[in-house]
């Protein structure tokens, strides 16, 4: 595993700390950014297939978006201490299998990374820096690498 420094950890912890209380709102913004960049990604979500509810009001999307953001950010926060990717309320095996089943490919992970970084930048503009972007990028890349290992 490549290194995730104490400095990177501190930046991730600080920015997540400022976003955490509004995780539902930021999670939804995160997913709306994904769909804005890649509208076709909507078809990867079974609960959006036959829905006429606007995305920003879809209760299932709100729940999913919040849980994904929280899982991603919590995995990032504990990355250095644990020395590996750890996810709460699920397993990497389960997440990997689900991503495999729905046909998630590298491009989806890239779009998601961009949307995540943009969301964090929007959530904590006064803290945002190249170092913070790199810290979150590294944490995200390690999470994705761990998920891809289980995509079968």
């Amino acid at each position: 595993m490549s290194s995730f420094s104490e400095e990177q950890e501190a930046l991730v912890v600080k920015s997540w700390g400022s976003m955490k209380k509004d995780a539902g709102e930021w999670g939804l913004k995160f997913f709306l950014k994904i769909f804005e960049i890649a509208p076709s990604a909507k078809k990867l979500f079974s609960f959006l297939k036959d829905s006429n509810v606007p995305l920003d009001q879809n209760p299932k999307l709100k729940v999913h978006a919040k849980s994904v953001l929280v899982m991603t950010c919590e995995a990032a926060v504990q990355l250095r201490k644990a020395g590996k990717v750890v996810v709460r309320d699920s397993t990497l095996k389960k997440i990997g299998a689900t991503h495999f089943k729905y046909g998630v490919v590298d491009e989806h992970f890239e779009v998601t990374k961009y949307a995540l970084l943009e969301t964090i930048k929007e959530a904590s503009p006064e803290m945002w820096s190249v170092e913070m972007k790199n810290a979150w990028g590294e944490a995200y890349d390690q999470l994705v690498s761990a998920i891809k290992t289980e995509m079968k």
Side-chain angles (χ1 to χ4, degrees):
M1 184 180 97
S2 60
S3 65
F4 187 68
S5 72
E6 271 186 67
E7 292 77 16
Q8 288 177 312
E9 177 187 52
L11 291 167
V12 164
V13 168
K14 188 176 171 188
S15 50
W16 174 231
S18 76
M19 294 170 66
K20 202 180 209 169
K21 65 183 183 315
D22 300 316
E25 178 193 334
W26 291 116
L28 185 59
K29 285 185 178 196
F30 169 43
F31 269 78
L32 294 175
K33 282 183 200 298
I34 292 170
F35 298 142
E36 191 183 310
I37 299 162
S40 64
K42 283 181 247 174
K43 65 178 182 280
L44 296 171
F45 300 89
S46 55
F47 57 82
L48 296 178
K49 282 204 173 87
D50 302 314
S51 175
N52 297 321
V53 181
L55 286 174
D56 63 344
Q57 293 164 30
N58 187 304
K60 288 183 177 168
L61 178 59
K62 285 181 179 184
V63 169
H64 181 73
K66 180 179 181 179
S67 75
V68 170
L69 182 70
V70 169
M71 184 271 300
T72 301
C73 294
E74 293 290 341
V77 162
Q78 60 68 52
L79 187 58
R80 197 182 66 82
K81 282 189 188 86
K84 63 178 195 223
V85 173
V86 178
V87 292
R88 223 178 42 191
D89 303 331
S90 189
T91 64
L92 286 166
K93 222 177 238 350
K94 189 173 145 191
I95 294 167
T98 302
H99 282 76
F100 181 75
K101 179 177 139 188
Y102 288 106
V104 174
V105 294
D106 287 351
E107 291 77 13
H108 297 128
F109 286 116
E110 284 305 309
V111 166
T112 302
K113 180 180 183 177
Y114 178 80
L116 176 69
L117 295 174
E118 286 297 302
T119 302
I120 295 164
K121 180 181 178 180
E122 188 184 331
S124 47
E126 69 295 335
M127 293 182 217
W128 190 252
S129 64
V130 172
E131 293 78 16
M132 184 173 282
K133 178 184 180 186
N134 292 341
W136 277 106
E138 177 62 30
Y140 178 82
D141 290 347
Q142 290 193 31
L143 175 61
V144 167
S145 174
I147 291 170
K148 284 181 178 177
T149 302
E150 299 296 342
M151 282 179 70
K152 48 191 177 270

